[in-house]
mmCIF file of all heavy atoms in Angstrom:
data_model
loop_
_atom_site.group_PDB
_atom_site.id
_atom_site.type_symbol
_atom_site.label_atom_id
_atom_site.label_comp_id
_atom_site.label_asym_id
_atom_site.label_seq_id
_atom_site.Cartn_x
_atom_site.Cartn_y
_atom_site.Cartn_z
ATOM 1 N N GLU A 1 0.841 -1.196 0.000
ATOM 2 C CA GLU A 1 0.000 0.000 0.000
ATOM 3 C C GLU A 1 0.877 1.248 0.000
ATOM 4 O O GLU A 1 1.994 1.232 0.503
ATOM 5 C CB GLU A 1 -0.856 0.041 1.274
ATOM 6 C CG GLU A 1 -1.600 -1.233 1.587
ATOM 7 C CD GLU A 1 -2.999 -1.269 1.039
ATOM 8 O OE1 GLU A 1 -3.620 -0.196 0.901
ATOM 9 O OE2 GLU A 1 -3.491 -2.386 0.752
ATOM 10 N N TRP A 2 0.325 2.318 -0.546
ATOM 11 C CA TRP A 2 0.997 3.615 -0.488
ATOM 12 C C TRP A 2 -0.021 4.664 -0.078
ATOM 13 O O TRP A 2 -1.226 4.501 -0.295
ATOM 14 C CB TRP A 2 1.648 3.983 -1.832
ATOM 15 C CG TRP A 2 0.654 4.388 -2.896
ATOM 16 C CD1 TRP A 2 -0.039 3.555 -3.725
ATOM 17 C CD2 TRP A 2 0.221 5.717 -3.215
ATOM 18 N NE1 TRP A 2 -0.862 4.271 -4.550
ATOM 19 C CE2 TRP A 2 -0.720 5.612 -4.262
ATOM 20 C CE3 TRP A 2 0.544 6.986 -2.725
ATOM 21 C CZ2 TRP A 2 -1.353 6.724 -4.825
ATOM 22 C CZ3 TRP A 2 -0.084 8.086 -3.283
ATOM 23 C CH2 TRP A 2 -1.016 7.943 -4.319
ATOM 24 N N HIS A 3 0.460 5.706 0.562
ATOM 25 C CA HIS A 3 -0.365 6.884 0.836
ATOM 26 C C HIS A 3 0.547 8.084 1.063
ATOM 27 O O HIS A 3 1.757 7.936 1.212
ATOM 28 C CB HIS A 3 -1.325 6.666 2.007
ATOM 29 C CG HIS A 3 -0.682 6.611 3.358
ATOM 30 N ND1 HIS A 3 -0.019 5.493 3.836
ATOM 31 C CD2 HIS A 3 -0.596 7.535 4.341
ATOM 32 C CE1 HIS A 3 0.433 5.739 5.056
ATOM 33 N NE2 HIS A 3 0.109 6.985 5.389
ATOM 34 N N THR A 4 -0.029 9.253 1.056
ATOM 35 C CA THR A 4 0.736 10.483 1.234
ATOM 36 C C THR A 4 0.640 10.977 2.679
ATOM 37 O O THR A 4 -0.265 10.595 3.420
ATOM 38 C CB THR A 4 0.228 11.599 0.295
ATOM 39 O OG1 THR A 4 -1.140 11.886 0.617
ATOM 40 C CG2 THR A 4 0.348 11.193 -1.164
ATOM 41 N N HIS A 5 1.588 11.826 3.031
ATOM 42 C CA HIS A 5 1.566 12.573 4.295
ATOM 43 C C HIS A 5 1.863 14.033 3.960
ATOM 44 O O HIS A 5 2.674 14.306 3.076
ATOM 45 C CB HIS A 5 2.639 12.081 5.261
ATOM 46 C CG HIS A 5 2.210 10.966 6.146
ATOM 47 N ND1 HIS A 5 2.944 10.575 7.238
ATOM 48 C CD2 HIS A 5 1.137 10.142 6.126
ATOM 49 C CE1 HIS A 5 2.346 9.558 7.845
ATOM 50 N NE2 HIS A 5 1.254 9.278 7.177
ATOM 51 N N PRO A 6 1.263 14.956 4.701
ATOM 52 C CA PRO A 6 1.519 16.382 4.468
ATOM 53 C C PRO A 6 2.774 16.861 5.199
ATOM 54 O O PRO A 6 2.732 17.781 6.016
ATOM 55 C CB PRO A 6 0.251 17.055 5.007
ATOM 56 C CG PRO A 6 -0.182 16.149 6.126
ATOM 57 C CD PRO A 6 0.183 14.751 5.670
ATOM 58 N N GLU A 7 3.900 16.209 4.914
ATOM 59 C CA GLU A 7 5.171 16.593 5.527
ATOM 60 C C GLU A 7 6.285 16.350 4.528
ATOM 61 O O GLU A 7 6.139 15.547 3.608
ATOM 62 C CB GLU A 7 5.412 15.821 6.827
ATOM 63 C CG GLU A 7 5.332 14.324 6.690
ATOM 64 C CD GLU A 7 5.329 13.594 8.025
ATOM 65 O OE1 GLU A 7 5.886 14.103 9.015
ATOM 66 O OE2 GLU A 7 4.787 12.487 8.079
ATOM 67 N N ASP A 8 7.398 17.042 4.695
ATOM 68 C CA ASP A 8 8.506 16.927 3.747
ATOM 69 C C ASP A 8 9.103 15.528 3.743
ATOM 70 O O ASP A 8 9.289 14.921 2.689
ATOM 71 C CB ASP A 8 9.601 17.953 4.066
ATOM 72 C CG ASP A 8 9.174 19.378 3.752
ATOM 73 O OD1 ASP A 8 8.161 19.566 3.056
ATOM 74 O OD2 ASP A 8 9.871 20.303 4.214
ATOM 75 N N HIS A 9 9.457 15.035 4.920
ATOM 76 C CA HIS A 9 10.108 13.731 5.052
ATOM 77 C C HIS A 9 9.226 12.867 5.958
ATOM 78 O O HIS A 9 9.327 12.951 7.181
ATOM 79 C CB HIS A 9 11.522 13.889 5.622
ATOM 80 C CG HIS A 9 12.355 14.836 4.804
ATOM 81 N ND1 HIS A 9 12.857 14.504 3.564
ATOM 82 C CD2 HIS A 9 12.718 16.118 5.031
ATOM 83 C CE1 HIS A 9 13.516 15.541 3.068
ATOM 84 N NE2 HIS A 9 13.445 16.534 3.936
ATOM 85 N N PRO A 10 8.360 12.061 5.357
ATOM 86 C CA PRO A 10 7.319 11.373 6.131
ATOM 87 C C PRO A 10 7.849 10.264 7.033
ATOM 88 O O PRO A 10 8.840 9.609 6.732
ATOM 89 C CB PRO A 10 6.416 10.791 5.044
ATOM 90 C CG PRO A 10 7.327 10.572 3.881
ATOM 91 C CD PRO A 10 8.296 11.718 3.932
ATOM 92 N N GLN A 11 7.156 10.079 8.129
ATOM 93 C CA GLN A 11 7.393 8.998 9.071
ATOM 94 C C GLN A 11 6.037 8.363 9.391
ATOM 95 O O GLN A 11 5.023 9.064 9.468
ATOM 96 C CB GLN A 11 8.032 9.517 10.365
ATOM 97 C CG GLN A 11 9.455 9.992 10.185
ATOM 98 C CD GLN A 11 10.388 8.843 9.838
ATOM 99 O OE1 GLN A 11 10.392 7.792 10.468
ATOM 100 N NE2 GLN A 11 11.185 9.039 8.788
ATOM 101 N N PRO A 12 5.990 7.053 9.598
ATOM 102 C CA PRO A 12 4.715 6.400 9.883
ATOM 103 C C PRO A 12 4.171 6.780 11.259
ATOM 104 O O PRO A 12 4.928 6.918 12.218
ATOM 105 C CB PRO A 12 5.044 4.913 9.812
ATOM 106 C CG PRO A 12 6.513 4.818 9.942
ATOM 107 C CD PRO A 12 7.096 6.112 9.478
ATOM 108 N N SER A 13 2.847 6.935 11.309
ATOM 109 C CA SER A 13 2.164 7.189 12.576
ATOM 110 C C SER A 13 1.846 5.844 13.235
ATOM 111 O O SER A 13 2.000 4.786 12.622
ATOM 112 C CB SER A 13 0.857 7.945 12.316
ATOM 113 O OG SER A 13 -0.047 7.104 11.600
ATOM 114 N N SER A 14 1.379 5.892 14.472
ATOM 115 C CA SER A 14 0.981 4.647 15.141
ATOM 116 C C SER A 14 -0.204 4.014 14.416
ATOM 117 O O SER A 14 -0.310 2.786 14.335
ATOM 118 C CB SER A 14 0.665 4.897 16.619
ATOM 119 O OG SER A 14 -0.366 5.852 16.744
ATOM 120 N N LEU A 15 -1.086 4.837 13.843
ATOM 121 C CA LEU A 15 -2.210 4.330 13.054
ATOM 122 C C LEU A 15 -1.700 3.622 11.795
ATOM 123 O O LEU A 15 -2.179 2.542 11.446
ATOM 124 C CB LEU A 15 -3.164 5.461 12.682
ATOM 125 C CG LEU A 15 -4.389 5.070 11.856
ATOM 126 C CD1 LEU A 15 -5.249 4.059 12.595
ATOM 127 C CD2 LEU A 15 -5.193 6.306 11.502
ATOM 128 N N ASP A 16 -0.706 4.218 11.133
ATOM 129 C CA ASP A 16 -0.099 3.576 9.962
ATOM 130 C C ASP A 16 0.431 2.197 10.348
ATOM 131 O O ASP A 16 0.159 1.198 9.676
ATOM 132 C CB ASP A 16 1.066 4.407 9.400
ATOM 133 C CG ASP A 16 0.635 5.701 8.743
ATOM 134 O OD1 ASP A 16 -0.497 5.773 8.224
ATOM 135 O OD2 ASP A 16 1.445 6.648 8.753
ATOM 136 N N ARG A 17 1.194 2.138 11.432
ATOM 137 C CA ARG A 17 1.819 0.880 11.852
ATOM 138 C C ARG A 17 0.785 -0.199 12.164
ATOM 139 O O ARG A 17 0.930 -1.350 11.758
ATOM 140 C CB ARG A 17 2.724 1.091 13.048
ATOM 141 C CG ARG A 17 3.950 1.900 12.685
ATOM 142 C CD ARG A 17 5.158 1.500 13.494
ATOM 143 N NE ARG A 17 6.322 2.136 12.910
ATOM 144 C CZ ARG A 17 7.009 1.645 11.898
ATOM 145 N NH1 ARG A 17 6.664 0.498 11.361
ATOM 146 N NH2 ARG A 17 8.046 2.283 11.405
ATOM 147 N N SER A 18 -0.275 0.161 12.885
ATOM 148 C CA SER A 18 -1.278 -0.850 13.229
ATOM 149 C C SER A 18 -2.012 -1.332 11.973
ATOM 150 O O SER A 18 -2.287 -2.530 11.841
ATOM 151 C CB SER A 18 -2.258 -0.327 14.282
ATOM 152 O OG SER A 18 -3.002 0.755 13.779
ATOM 153 N N GLU A 19 -2.282 -0.430 11.034
ATOM 154 C CA GLU A 19 -2.939 -0.812 9.784
ATOM 155 C C GLU A 19 -2.020 -1.696 8.940
ATOM 156 O O GLU A 19 -2.460 -2.691 8.358
ATOM 157 C CB GLU A 19 -3.351 0.440 9.008
ATOM 158 C CG GLU A 19 -4.091 0.160 7.717
ATOM 159 C CD GLU A 19 -5.466 -0.462 7.898
ATOM 160 O OE1 GLU A 19 -5.952 -0.594 9.040
ATOM 161 O OE2 GLU A 19 -6.064 -0.847 6.877
ATOM 162 N N TRP A 20 -0.743 -1.360 8.861
ATOM 163 C CA TRP A 20 0.203 -2.167 8.095
ATOM 164 C C TRP A 20 0.305 -3.578 8.670
ATOM 165 O O TRP A 20 0.327 -4.556 7.927
ATOM 166 C CB TRP A 20 1.578 -1.522 8.076
ATOM 167 C CG TRP A 20 1.652 -0.216 7.344
ATOM 168 C CD1 TRP A 20 0.728 0.317 6.490
ATOM 169 C CD2 TRP A 20 2.721 0.715 7.412
ATOM 170 N NE1 TRP A 20 1.163 1.532 6.020
ATOM 171 C CE2 TRP A 20 2.390 1.797 6.579
ATOM 172 C CE3 TRP A 20 3.923 0.758 8.105
ATOM 173 C CZ2 TRP A 20 3.225 2.901 6.404
ATOM 174 C CZ3 TRP A 20 4.757 1.848 7.937
ATOM 175 C CH2 TRP A 20 4.400 2.915 7.091
ATOM 176 N N ASN A 21 0.376 -3.698 9.990
ATOM 177 C CA ASN A 21 0.450 -5.018 10.613
ATOM 178 C C ASN A 21 -0.817 -5.826 10.324
ATOM 179 O O ASN A 21 -0.745 -7.030 10.057
ATOM 180 C CB ASN A 21 0.691 -4.909 12.118
ATOM 181 C CG ASN A 21 2.081 -4.403 12.446
ATOM 182 O OD1 ASN A 21 2.998 -4.472 11.644
ATOM 183 N ND2 ASN A 21 2.234 -3.863 13.633
ATOM 184 N N ARG A 22 -1.976 -5.162 10.358
ATOM 185 C CA ARG A 22 -3.240 -5.834 10.062
ATOM 186 C C ARG A 22 -3.261 -6.329 8.616
ATOM 187 O O ARG A 22 -3.616 -7.477 8.341
ATOM 188 C CB ARG A 22 -4.409 -4.873 10.317
ATOM 189 C CG ARG A 22 -5.781 -5.521 10.150
ATOM 190 C CD ARG A 22 -6.899 -4.508 10.280
ATOM 191 N NE ARG A 22 -6.950 -3.599 9.155
ATOM 192 C CZ ARG A 22 -7.451 -3.905 7.950
ATOM 193 N NH1 ARG A 22 -7.909 -5.114 7.708
ATOM 194 N NH2 ARG A 22 -7.477 -3.009 6.982
ATOM 195 N N LEU A 23 -2.863 -5.460 7.688
ATOM 196 C CA LEU A 23 -2.857 -5.842 6.275
ATOM 197 C C LEU A 23 -1.834 -6.931 5.988
ATOM 198 O O LEU A 23 -2.091 -7.845 5.197
ATOM 199 C CB LEU A 23 -2.583 -4.615 5.395
ATOM 200 C CG LEU A 23 -3.706 -3.593 5.325
ATOM 201 C CD1 LEU A 23 -3.216 -2.308 4.667
ATOM 202 C CD2 LEU A 23 -4.910 -4.153 4.579
ATOM 203 N N SER A 24 -0.686 -6.868 6.639
ATOM 204 C CA SER A 24 0.348 -7.885 6.442
ATOM 205 C C SER A 24 -0.143 -9.251 6.927
ATOM 206 O O SER A 24 0.110 -10.279 6.286
ATOM 207 C CB SER A 24 1.631 -7.483 7.171
ATOM 208 O OG SER A 24 2.663 -8.375 6.878
ATOM 209 N N ALA A 25 -0.856 -9.268 8.037
ATOM 210 C CA ALA A 25 -1.373 -10.526 8.583
ATOM 211 C C ALA A 25 -2.398 -11.162 7.656
ATOM 212 O O ALA A 25 -2.576 -12.390 7.670
ATOM 213 C CB ALA A 25 -1.986 -10.286 9.962
ATOM 214 N N LYS A 26 -3.063 -10.362 6.836
ATOM 215 C CA LYS A 26 -4.081 -10.877 5.912
ATOM 216 C C LYS A 26 -3.494 -11.421 4.614
ATOM 217 O O LYS A 26 -4.215 -12.023 3.821
ATOM 218 C CB LYS A 26 -5.072 -9.759 5.553
ATOM 219 C CG LYS A 26 -6.007 -9.384 6.669
ATOM 220 C CD LYS A 26 -6.888 -8.199 6.323
ATOM 221 C CE LYS A 26 -7.581 -8.314 4.991
ATOM 222 N NZ LYS A 26 -8.495 -7.186 4.715
ATOM 223 N N ARG A 27 -2.190 -11.247 4.383
ATOM 224 C CA ARG A 27 -1.584 -11.682 3.123
ATOM 225 C C ARG A 27 -1.698 -13.190 2.959
ATOM 226 O O ARG A 27 -1.266 -13.939 3.830
ATOM 227 C CB ARG A 27 -0.093 -11.299 3.064
ATOM 228 C CG ARG A 27 0.247 -9.842 3.066
ATOM 229 C CD ARG A 27 0.193 -9.167 1.721
ATOM 230 N NE ARG A 27 0.776 -9.873 0.611
ATOM 231 C CZ ARG A 27 1.895 -9.530 -0.004
ATOM 232 N NH1 ARG A 27 2.575 -8.485 0.393
ATOM 233 N NH2 ARG A 27 2.327 -10.215 -1.040
ATOM 234 N N ARG A 28 -2.230 -13.618 1.826
ATOM 235 C CA ARG A 28 -2.363 -15.054 1.543
ATOM 236 C C ARG A 28 -1.006 -15.721 1.344
ATOM 237 O O ARG A 28 -0.826 -16.880 1.690
ATOM 238 C CB ARG A 28 -3.212 -15.263 0.294
ATOM 239 C CG ARG A 28 -4.650 -14.912 0.500
ATOM 240 C CD ARG A 28 -5.450 -15.174 -0.748
ATOM 241 N NE ARG A 28 -6.789 -14.655 -0.568
ATOM 242 C CZ ARG A 28 -7.599 -14.391 -1.557
ATOM 243 N NH1 ARG A 28 -7.227 -14.604 -2.797
ATOM 244 N NH2 ARG A 28 -8.798 -13.924 -1.324
ATOM 245 N N ASP A 29 -0.057 -14.968 0.759
ATOM 246 C CA ASP A 29 1.255 -15.560 0.480
ATOM 247 C C ASP A 29 2.215 -15.455 1.670
ATOM 248 O O ASP A 29 3.356 -15.899 1.593
ATOM 249 C CB ASP A 29 1.879 -14.933 -0.765
ATOM 250 C CG ASP A 29 2.120 -13.435 -0.640
ATOM 251 O OD1 ASP A 29 1.919 -12.861 0.458
ATOM 252 O OD2 ASP A 29 2.507 -12.822 -1.649
ATOM 253 N N LYS A 30 1.743 -14.861 2.766
ATOM 254 C CA LYS A 30 2.512 -14.736 4.020
ATOM 255 C C LYS A 30 3.784 -13.885 3.891
ATOM 256 O O LYS A 30 4.615 -13.874 4.788
ATOM 257 C CB LYS A 30 2.869 -16.110 4.602
ATOM 258 C CG LYS A 30 1.656 -16.965 4.899
ATOM 259 C CD LYS A 30 0.735 -16.289 5.892
ATOM 260 C CE LYS A 30 -0.481 -17.139 6.193
ATOM 261 N NZ LYS A 30 -1.538 -16.400 6.836
ATOM 262 N N ARG A 31 3.944 -13.165 2.767
ATOM 263 C CA ARG A 31 5.090 -12.258 2.608
ATOM 264 C C ARG A 31 4.824 -10.981 3.400
ATOM 265 O O ARG A 31 3.678 -10.570 3.568
ATOM 266 C CB ARG A 31 5.263 -11.883 1.128
ATOM 267 C CG ARG A 31 5.767 -13.008 0.251
ATOM 268 C CD ARG A 31 5.920 -12.532 -1.176
ATOM 269 N NE ARG A 31 6.764 -11.352 -1.286
ATOM 270 C CZ ARG A 31 8.084 -11.369 -1.378
ATOM 271 N NH1 ARG A 31 8.729 -12.505 -1.385
ATOM 272 N NH2 ARG A 31 8.770 -10.249 -1.479
ATOM 273 N N PRO A 32 5.880 -10.302 3.843
ATOM 274 C CA PRO A 32 5.685 -8.979 4.449
ATOM 275 C C PRO A 32 5.074 -8.020 3.415
ATOM 276 O O PRO A 32 5.248 -8.196 2.207
ATOM 277 C CB PRO A 32 7.097 -8.536 4.817
ATOM 278 C CG PRO A 32 7.911 -9.778 4.826
ATOM 279 C CD PRO A 32 7.276 -10.708 3.839
ATOM 280 N N MET A 33 4.356 -7.044 3.895
ATOM 281 C CA MET A 33 3.717 -6.066 3.027
ATOM 282 C C MET A 33 4.632 -4.856 2.825
ATOM 283 O O MET A 33 5.261 -4.391 3.774
ATOM 284 C CB MET A 33 2.411 -5.598 3.667
ATOM 285 C CG MET A 33 1.637 -4.645 2.793
ATOM 286 S SD MET A 33 0.403 -3.692 3.698
ATOM 287 C CE MET A 33 1.414 -2.416 4.385
ATOM 288 N N LEU A 34 4.691 -4.363 1.610
ATOM 289 C CA LEU A 34 5.446 -3.151 1.334
ATOM 290 C C LEU A 34 4.568 -1.944 1.655
ATOM 291 O O LEU A 34 3.438 -1.846 1.166
ATOM 292 C CB LEU A 34 5.886 -3.103 -0.135
ATOM 293 C CG LEU A 34 6.659 -1.855 -0.536
ATOM 294 C CD1 LEU A 34 7.967 -1.743 0.221
ATOM 295 C CD2 LEU A 34 6.906 -1.863 -2.040
ATOM 296 N N ALA A 35 5.065 -1.060 2.486
ATOM 297 C CA ALA A 35 4.341 0.156 2.857
ATOM 298 C C ALA A 35 5.171 1.364 2.417
ATOM 299 O O ALA A 35 6.357 1.441 2.732
ATOM 300 C CB ALA A 35 4.116 0.195 4.363
ATOM 301 N N VAL A 36 4.529 2.272 1.689
ATOM 302 C CA VAL A 36 5.215 3.466 1.197
ATOM 303 C C VAL A 36 4.415 4.700 1.603
ATOM 304 O O VAL A 36 3.194 4.747 1.433
ATOM 305 C CB VAL A 36 5.379 3.426 -0.345
ATOM 306 C CG1 VAL A 36 5.949 4.738 -0.863
ATOM 307 C CG2 VAL A 36 6.250 2.251 -0.758
ATOM 308 N N ILE A 37 5.126 5.676 2.143
ATOM 309 C CA ILE A 37 4.518 6.980 2.433
ATOM 310 C C ILE A 37 5.216 8.002 1.546
ATOM 311 O O ILE A 37 6.449 8.084 1.528
ATOM 312 C CB ILE A 37 4.674 7.387 3.913
ATOM 313 C CG1 ILE A 37 4.098 6.328 4.837
ATOM 314 C CG2 ILE A 37 3.979 8.734 4.150
ATOM 315 C CD1 ILE A 37 4.339 6.599 6.316
ATOM 316 N N VAL A 38 4.418 8.762 0.832
ATOM 317 C CA VAL A 38 4.919 9.785 -0.082
ATOM 318 C C VAL A 38 4.865 11.136 0.623
ATOM 319 O O VAL A 38 3.787 11.599 0.996
ATOM 320 C CB VAL A 38 4.078 9.830 -1.376
ATOM 321 C CG1 VAL A 38 4.567 10.929 -2.304
ATOM 322 C CG2 VAL A 38 4.096 8.470 -2.071
ATOM 323 N N GLY A 39 6.019 11.732 0.836
ATOM 324 C CA GLY A 39 6.085 13.057 1.429
ATOM 325 C C GLY A 39 6.317 14.112 0.369
ATOM 326 O O GLY A 39 6.378 13.807 -0.826
ATOM 327 N N ARG A 40 6.465 15.345 0.800
ATOM 328 C CA ARG A 40 6.690 16.444 -0.147
ATOM 329 C C ARG A 40 8.063 16.375 -0.801
ATOM 330 O O ARG A 40 8.238 16.756 -1.945
ATOM 331 C CB ARG A 40 6.510 17.774 0.561
ATOM 332 C CG ARG A 40 5.081 18.027 0.996
ATOM 333 C CD ARG A 40 4.956 19.353 1.727
ATOM 334 N NE ARG A 40 3.570 19.574 2.092
ATOM 335 C CZ ARG A 40 3.183 20.103 3.235
ATOM 336 N NH1 ARG A 40 4.081 20.481 4.142
ATOM 337 N NH2 ARG A 40 1.904 20.278 3.484
ATOM 338 N N LYS A 41 9.070 15.891 -0.061
ATOM 339 C CA LYS A 41 10.440 15.859 -0.588
ATOM 340 C C LYS A 41 11.051 14.472 -0.641
ATOM 341 O O LYS A 41 12.087 14.288 -1.279
ATOM 342 C CB LYS A 41 11.343 16.768 0.258
ATOM 343 C CG LYS A 41 10.968 18.231 0.157
ATOM 344 C CD LYS A 41 11.907 19.093 0.967
ATOM 345 C CE LYS A 41 11.538 20.563 0.832
ATOM 346 N NZ LYS A 41 12.434 21.409 1.641
#
């Protein structure tokens, strides 16, 4: 998954982390999920 943040150099929030862990646990192939946050810079 990817999403944007309104900051120059993005860092994941606690909400991001909990959602990523939830989505990763749902993966059928059991691979880790790639998470990308797009910042301004």
Side-chain angles (χ1 to χ4, degrees):
E1 311 267 331
W2 73 275
H3 71 282
T4 62
H5 271 193
E7 54 190 332
D8 289 346
H9 305 287
Q11 291 293 312
S13 66
S14 58
L15 180 60
D16 290 332
R17 291 212 169 275
S18 64
E19 182 67 6
W20 294 346
N21 290 339
R22 185 185 70 77
L23 290 168
S24 186
K26 288 175 49 177
R27 296 276 316 251
R28 290 182 188 160
D29 61 6
K30 301 301 180 196
R31 289 181 55 86
M33 184 198 81
L34 179 63
V36 174
I37 304 174
V38 178
R40 293 179 178 141
K41 295 182 179 179

